[in-house]
Structure formats: C-alpha cells, structure tokens
C-alpha cells in the first residue's frame, strides 16, 4: 500500500460527525481567547480532549499529548494557543466574550486542526507506527513559549522528535497551502525606548525640554534606517507601533515612550539596523538637549525561522498528492515571525512549517480582481480577522494528518 493510499484511508475518518465536533470546538476556542501564558482554560480543554483520544498528557499552559503506537519515527505536530490584546469587531455569533482579547491571529484554527489530526491518527493506529507528539504551545505572540517548553524538559519527558511540523492560517484562499523552503520567517526585535525631557507649562515651552518633539523627530528619522542604511537587496522593516507621552493639552511632559518592531533576515542586517536605531535615539536626545540619556530595552525577540528544504520537499509532495499539487504555492520569505523553529533547532531536527489558506476563495478572487485585496481582506492581527470555517478546518486537518503520515512509519504488519 502506498503512502498516498494510507493517507486517503486515514482521512476517510474526517466524516460529518468529526467535522461538526471540530467546528464546535473552534467556535468555543474563538469565543474564549486567552493572552500569552494565561491560557489556563484553553490548556485544560486541550488536556481533557487529548486524554479522551487516548493520548498521554503533560503540561500547564503548554500541553504535550503523546500517542505511542509501536516502533517508528517520532513526529512533533505543533499548534499555538494564545490570543492577542485586540477588541474583536467581526460581528460573528461566536465572537470573543473576553473584552479586549481576540484570536486575531488564528491560533484557534491551529488548535482545532491539530485535534482533528490527533483524532484521525488515534482512530487509524492500524495504518501507521511510531509516536505522535502533539505540542500545544503557549505565548507564541511573545516569542517565548517554544523556548519555555524546551527549557521545561519537553524532550527529556517526551522524547526527541525526528521532525517538527506545523501550519499557520493566513489571509490567502482557503484550499491553498503555501510553503517556502529555506529562510521562511524573519527575526524580530521588539524594543521600548524611553526619552527624557523636562516638563513645563504649555505656555512656557522655553522652560522645557520637550520629549514629544524629541520622540516625533526620532520617529521621522527612523524612516531612513531601511531606505538609507540597508542595501536595496537586503530586506528589513522598522515600525514604530506605539508613541505615548503626556496627559493633558497644556502640560509639556517629562517623558515619552516609543515601542518599535524590527524585522530582519540576516544577522549582519540585524546588527546594522539595531545599531542605527540606537544611534538615532541617542542622537535625537543629544540634539534636543536632553539632560538624561534615553533608555532602550528589549521587550521580546524571535529568531530566524528556517524551513529544512528536504523536509519541505517530502512533506509538500505528500500533501500535494492528496489535495492536488495545483493547490501548493511558494509565498517566498515572510516578514512575519515565528518561534516554532526553536523546537527544531533545540533538537537538531528538520522543521517544515507552512501557511494554510483561510479566506473564502470567491471573496478573495473578487477583491483581487478589483484591486482591493489589501482593503477588503482583513489580515492577521486585525480586529476583523475571521477565517471561514469551511473549508479551512478540514483542509488544515487534511494537511497536518497527511504531513504526519509522510514521516511516521508504516503499520507494523505491513509488508
């Protein structure tokens, strides 16, 4: 029996009953989002369902469910749990009930799809051999959850995998799978900058050292880092996502705070950009006559995420055989960041991580034809981000299950 035949037989378990259960799970997760390292309800539900499927489980806000099925490879399947501090505006009947928190990045999709794959693999243990490690990771949005699980003894407790597999729902047509071998996701440095001035009455600016003007000049100068300090062939992004200063119109404050998000693709460019940012911050403070040096601190970082080329070829070939190779695309390197690679690098095993389409194909095609895709298709982290359940969930289950079978061993009784 070929791997393609095995996959199709296992996927036959994705019947109406399982699909309905997954849709109910997805709606429940979406309605009850939790922030990074606060995923207590989500983790409890994950652990309960994993036990019901016959998986052994360990963890707190991070959960690992293991299914041992004879001798063979160990495959790590990863989903992230956490939501974002975003107020939902989708209008969905199952919208977030947690004010100011939303699954605006689709992690509820990831958890649901992983459960679908777990259910199919558990129900077809006569079709494969090996070990499935279903890893439900907290705090992906902080870039800290994967490392926290590794540091907490993930591999010592559960064994070292032979491959790490996972997926991320994105605003591309449902039914498509996008995977880029090699450097797939950017490194991120999130920084907070405190700039110090001297407060005064708004009617007497000469008595002040105005941190608002200082911060505004810094923001404008930051726009030259990419355009003037990195080569045209290099990629980098510098975004000032927050600028906070003052409490009232007639008060010049003492301090301004900026939060920066920096994306780079090579260690050399990262050093260049971080150096330029620090130089600009300190230079603008000197130019303004600040009497105290600015402070620059790191909020969080993400490492570069590199997809193993051979692992991607093997995995995508298997998925393409099931869903159709015409549905596979290469999106190029993403400016987004991911910490899933930590699971691979810490175990020195290959990673294959792909993007899962979550937008109604007809809606996407109309927006593309009208040239309004950036306006009409909400992106991840938007308060309007809402993947369509059908066919996103079944496609995600199909891709993840097929990918796992591409690496697990054949059934022990197979010739």
């Amino acid at each position: 029996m070929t791997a393609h035949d095995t996959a199709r037989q296992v996927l036959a378990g994705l019947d109406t009953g399982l699909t309905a259960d997954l849709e109910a799970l997805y709606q429940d997760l979406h309605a009850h989002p939790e922030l990074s390292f606060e995923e207590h309800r989500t983790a409890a539900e994950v652990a309960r369902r994993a036990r019901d499927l016959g998986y052994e489980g360990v963890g707190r806000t991070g959960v690992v469910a293991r299914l041992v099925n004879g001798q063979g490879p160990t495959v790590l399947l990863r989903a992230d749990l956490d939501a974002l501090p975003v107020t939902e505006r989708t209008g969905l009947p199952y919208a977030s009930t947690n004010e100011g928190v939303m699954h605006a990045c689709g992690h509820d999709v990831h958890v649901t799809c992983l459960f679908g794959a777990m259910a199919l693999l558990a129900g077809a243990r006569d079709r494969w051999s090996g070990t499935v490690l279903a890893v439900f990771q907290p705090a992906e949005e902080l870039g800290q959850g994967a490392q926290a699980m590794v540091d907490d003894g993930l591999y010592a407790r559960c064994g070292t995998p032979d491959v790490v597999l996972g997926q991320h729902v994105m605003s591309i047509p449902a039914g498509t799978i996008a995977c880029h071998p090699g450097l797939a996701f950017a490194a991120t440095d999130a920084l907070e900058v405190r700039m110090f001035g001297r407060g005064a009455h708004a009617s007497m600016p000469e008595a002040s050292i105005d941190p608002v003007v200082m911060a505004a000049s810094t923001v404008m100068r930051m726009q030259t880092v990419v355009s003037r300090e990195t080569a045209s062939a290099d990629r980098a992004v510098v975004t000032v996502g927050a600028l906070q200063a003052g409490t009232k119109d007639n008060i010049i404050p003492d301090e301004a705070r900026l939060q920066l998000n920096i994306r780079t693709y090579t260690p050399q460019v990262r050093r260049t950009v971080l150096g330029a940012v620090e130089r600009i911050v300190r230079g603008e403070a000197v130019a303004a006559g600040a009497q105290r040096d600015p402070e620059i601190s790191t909020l969080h970082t993400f490492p570069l995420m590199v997809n193993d080329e051979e692992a991607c070829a093997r995995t995508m070939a298997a998925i393409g055989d099931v869903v159709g190779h015409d549905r596979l695309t290469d999106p190029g390197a993403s400016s987004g960041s991911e910490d899933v690679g930590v699971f691979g690098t810490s175990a020195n095993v290959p990673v294959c991580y792909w993007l899962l389409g979550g937008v109604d194909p007809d809606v996407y095609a109309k927006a593309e034809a009208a040239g309004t895709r950036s306006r009409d298709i909400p992106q991840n982290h938007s308060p309007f981000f809402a993947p369509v359940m059908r066919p996103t969930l079944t496609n995600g289950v199909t891709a993840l299950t097929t990918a796992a079978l591409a690496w697990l061993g054949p059934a022990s009784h197979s010739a």
Side-chain angles (χ1 to χ4, degrees):
M1 181 180 295
T2 67
H4 175 257
D5 294 332
T6 298
R8 288 202 174 276
Q9 290 182 354
V10 174
L11 290 167
L14 192 57
D15 57 18
T16 303
L18 178 56
T19 299
D21 181 60
L22 293 175
E23 290 181 354
L25 170 61
Y26 169 71
Q27 293 180 60
D28 179 70
L29 293 171
H30 190 88
H32 300 93
E34 296 173 299
L35 295 175
S36 303
F37 287 128
E38 298 177 9
E39 308 96 330
H40 301 289
R41 180 188 185 277
T42 307
E45 181 66 11
V46 163
R48 182 188 69 79
R49 284 177 170 263
R51 286 193 297 269
D52 289 346
L53 290 173
Y55 286 72
E56 302 172 280
V58 298
R60 293 186 293 274
T61 60
V63 177
V64 183
R66 181 174 61 177
L67 183 62
V68 180
N69 189 36
Q71 298 296 314
T74 297
V75 175
L76 189 157
L77 306 177
R78 180 270 206 168
D80 34 14
L81 301 173
D82 52 332
L84 287 159
V86 172
T87 298
E88 182 162 355
R89 299 175 63 189
T90 63
L92 291 168
Y94 50 89
S96 172
T97 59
N98 188 355
E99 181 64 29
V101 183
M102 175 191 175
H103 269 300
C105 202
H107 296 184
D108 45 355
V109 172
H110 308 165
V111 173
T112 303
C113 291
L114 180 47
F115 263 115
M118 290 168 63
L120 292 180
L121 292 169
R125 277 173 271 195
D126 59 336
R127 304 288 179 185
W128 59 274
S129 61
T131 299
V132 174
L133 289 182
V135 174
F136 296 88
Q137 177 206 312
E140 185 277 334
E141 295 294 349
L142 300 180
Q144 298 174 14
Q147 191 63 56
M149 295 190 80
V150 170
D151 292 344
D152 199 34
L154 168 63
Y155 297 139
R157 297 182 186 191
C158 302
T160 302
D162 294 285
V163 68
V164 174
L165 304 172
Q167 59 190 357
H168 200 303
V169 68
M170 295 292 286
S171 293
I172 57 178
T176 58
I177 302 290
C179 183
H180 180 67
L183 177 55
F185 290 83
T188 293
D189 290 276
L191 308 177
E192 181 173 77
V193 175
R194 297 177 66 191
M195 305 192 80
F196 305 101
R198 184 171 62 237
H201 196 286
S203 66
M204 295 180 288
E206 71 279 4
S208 75
I209 298 174
D210 194 337
V212 177
V213 175
M214 195 188 314
S217 298
T218 301
V219 171
M220 296 306 295
R221 185 73 178 180
M222 289 289 182
Q223 310 311 307
T224 67
V225 173
V226 174
S227 65
R228 290 296 177 268
E229 301 205 36
T230 61
S232 59
D234 292 328
R235 294 181 63 186
V237 179
V238 178
T239 296
V240 180
L243 196 168
Q244 300 166 338
T247 58
K248 199 173 185 295
D249 64 287
N250 64 348
I251 301 172
I252 296 174
D254 288 324
E255 178 182 338
R257 294 182 182 231
L258 298 85
Q259 291 188 357
L260 284 73
N261 191 277
I262 298 168
R263 311 285 173 128
T264 52
Y265 295 86
T266 69
Q268 180 180 356
V269 173
R270 178 174 181 266
R271 287 192 296 269
T272 297
V273 171
L274 289 175
V277 166
E278 181 173 357
R279 189 192 70 244
I280 288 170
V281 169
R282 299 195 183 283
E284 291 294 340
V286 171
Q291 297 171 337
R292 178 178 170 185
D293 289 340
E295 296 177 359
I296 303 174
S297 57
T298 299
L299 298 174
H300 60 260
T301 64
F302 285 81
L304 289 168
M305 209 296 282
V306 180
N307 264 334
D308 183 86
E309 295 192 10
E310 292 184 4
C312 287
R314 177 175 174 174
T315 305
M316 289 301 112
I319 293 175
D321 284 345
V322 172
V323 305
H325 290 274
D326 59 324
R327 293 189 176 186
L328 305 182
T329 65
D330 184 339
S334 170
S335 56
S337 294
E338 253 292 346
D339 67 350
V340 65
V342 170
F343 292 117
T345 55
S346 60
N348 195 29
V349 299
V351 175
C352 178
Y353 194 72
W354 61 89
L355 305 181
L356 174 70
V359 179
D360 183 300
D362 292 336
V363 172
Y364 190 95
K366 289 178 182 177
E368 186 84 352
T372 58
R373 179 166 55 87
S374 61
R375 184 192 71 191
D376 295 342
I377 306 297
Q379 301 297 310
N380 301 63
H381 291 214
S382 162
F384 299 99
F385 183 72
V388 293
M389 284 193 292
R390 301 182 183 183
T392 302
L393 297 181
T394 53
N395 287 339
V397 173
T398 296
L400 202 56
T401 305
T402 304
L405 291 168
W407 290 87
L408 291 165
S412 58
H413 59 74
S414 297

